Amino acid sequence: MSERSELDALREALAQAVQQASQAAELARLLTDYQRRLDEAARAEAEAVTRMRQAEARLKAVERQNATLAKNLAEQRYQTAVANWKLASLRESRWSKLGDALHSKNPGKVAQTLRAPVKKPPAPKRSDFPPELPKIPEPAVTPAAPDPKAPQVSTPMADGFTVPKGPTARPYLTVAAIVDRQTEALLRYEWRLVTDFGPENWEEMLERRRPHLLLAESVRPGPRQGNGGRWLEALAGESRALRDLIAACRKRGIRTVFWHSGGPVSRAVPAAEHFDHVLTYSEARAREWRSALRHDRVGVLPYAIQPRVHNPIPAIGGRTEEIMTLGTVAVPAEGDGAADQAGRVWRPMPGQGDEKITYDDLLTAYRRPALVVAGPDADERAVAEISACGTPVLRMRKGAGPEETAAAAEALLADRERLAREAHLAWRAATRVTPLLDPILDVLGIPSVRGADRITVISAVRTPEELEHLAAQVARQAHRPGQLVVVAEGLDAALVEKTVRHAVELDDLVVRVSGTPITRGAALDRAARLADGDHVAVFDPRDVYGEHYLADLAGYFAVADAEVIGKASFYAHLPGTGATLLRQPGAEHRFLPEVAGGTLLARRQTITDLGFADVSEEWGEVFMRQCRTDGVRVYSADRYSYVCVRESAEGELLGSARLEGYVPAEPLALI
């Protein structure tokens, strides 16, 4: 019996082993099949991405065709038709026919010609001459490589820097400008800018566009010259076209201003002395101009940046590891493209010498290098624009040798976090051109009316500790909100108002108290309905907001054409463990499908239309899904001036996060 029992047990064990092996084989087959299907899906996704890139490239090529050829071709065909029409009208005129009749020496024909009605062909119209665009080869597109892994950072809706379109700060104001491409990019979003005129058609421009102001600049020949270079002779005093234009503007009551943006004063005086007012880029230059012109109608318009053009939005392809030099710099390697001992390539910034480069290409070059080393004689206007594009700039003292330059550059590049912080601080310190134009327009007697962009901060609090923390975060803001709306759960309304007003000086405070439990999403939705600012900012009473949080975030509305601004990349601190994380590194300055709910700054109409879901912690994710469904553009800003504080890494906080160390997050983020 024992031998039979052992045999039965062995048989049963063998059967179980066979069954387990069969299950393992089936599991292996399923895993192989799943991996095969995953690879096929990845390849299909890569092919779809490649087709999308090809379509986007073709679309951009067509847009360039329309911009460069449509107007010119249509205008040329129209002008040709007008010339033919004038010639035909002249031939059909009574006087032309009368001359032919007189030459015939037939009195009867003369009388018949005088009695005959004149038939002129109808004048051509511009609408009858649509442009015919030539075919251009499609640009090559790099195929996307299959990646079966799930993306750690959300796929951007649009990636890469392109010069955007509108809106303008003063849409009611029309300015006729004789400026170069650099200044055109600076001013194109400040008012309706008219540049498509020259000495041959300025009269038509004045009649058709009716500008309020004529602005001319000390334009120099080169690839960045504006207006097609048609005004260079007039600015040099070789023709009377500019003086005739100024005289016509005076008769119409149009103000005239000359901006000396560079070059010797003596060279610009002959053209500038005919204008009503003169602007220059520094007070020292203004004193020279007052002495040269012998009047005080001289002001200062310093070098500034245009946030819509000079901003940290990256160029397609991202940054390289190159170091570019600006001005006179003692580089550690001789020759263009040579490498130093650390293997870093040093190149001069394009467009400094005789190199022909357009300003649009220069804007892309500003975003390429890892670092720009500027000499003491570097162009201050270029330095300001490069800094505003998020590229770190290292200023070198006069007389610095190659070894000192290389050591300073290597020390800065070795600390990437410091490099990123200094680049962000330089962007924040950049002077925007929009507020500089208000006092100038006041002097000229031209009204300057711009939107105030009032901000309403909304928040939902549950405990007295959250209320005190919220009040402290709002009070520290350099850009003070115009309104604060607080929805409190289970707190006394008088206590809420007293606590907030003790910490913050606000003209408009709205407090609502809920006697029953309410989710954060429902409370925020109620607060959003009470907001009346142009923009609405959500403050989470558990998180930390830096002094420049609102100012920086509001500034991005001038950078990106988006309805919602927020942060997909940010620092998170876990007090229980003391760990500090960087959430989604690399997700800055992009259009993304989602940003953190505690960092939302959106247009009030967008918040009102979408609303917040009646949930506690996932209201931000639901709001982002609604944005994606409705096609709302969401822009992810920088990672600074905000720290998400949670007791544990709940939800997706740990996803795509990088551990920065077991240190407080404030020294890293709150700059």
Side-chain angles (χ1 to χ4, degrees), residues 160-169 184-191 304-313 359-360 363 367 385 388-389 427 431-434 554-563 565 591 603 633 635:
F161 174 77
T162 55
V163 177
K165 301 177 181 178
T168 56
E184 181 183 343
L186 180 73
L187 300 177
R188 73 173 67 171
Y189 305 103
E190 299 303 318
W191 40 52
I305 61 101
Q306 173 56 253
R308 294 285 286 174
V309 176
H310 312 114
N311 53 59
I313 297 178
Y359 188 64
D360 294 339
L363 288 173
R367 293 165 163 81
E385 293 178 354
C389 291
W427 169 83
T431 303
R432 277 69 171 172
V433 70
T434 302
Y556 285 109
F557 275 109
V559 169
D561 184 16
E563 288 78 35
I565 306 289
F591 288 96
R603 303 188 189 279
R633 287 171 64 84
Y635 182 77

Side-chain angles (χ1 to χ4, degrees), residues 57-69 132-140:
R58 285 194 294 268
L59 177 61
K60 291 181 179 179
V62 171
E63 289 177 349
R64 287 196 296 270
Q65 288 176 336
N66 292 336
T68 56
L69 298 178
E132 297 178 1
L133 301 178
K135 295 182 179 180
I136 63 173
E138 294 184 3

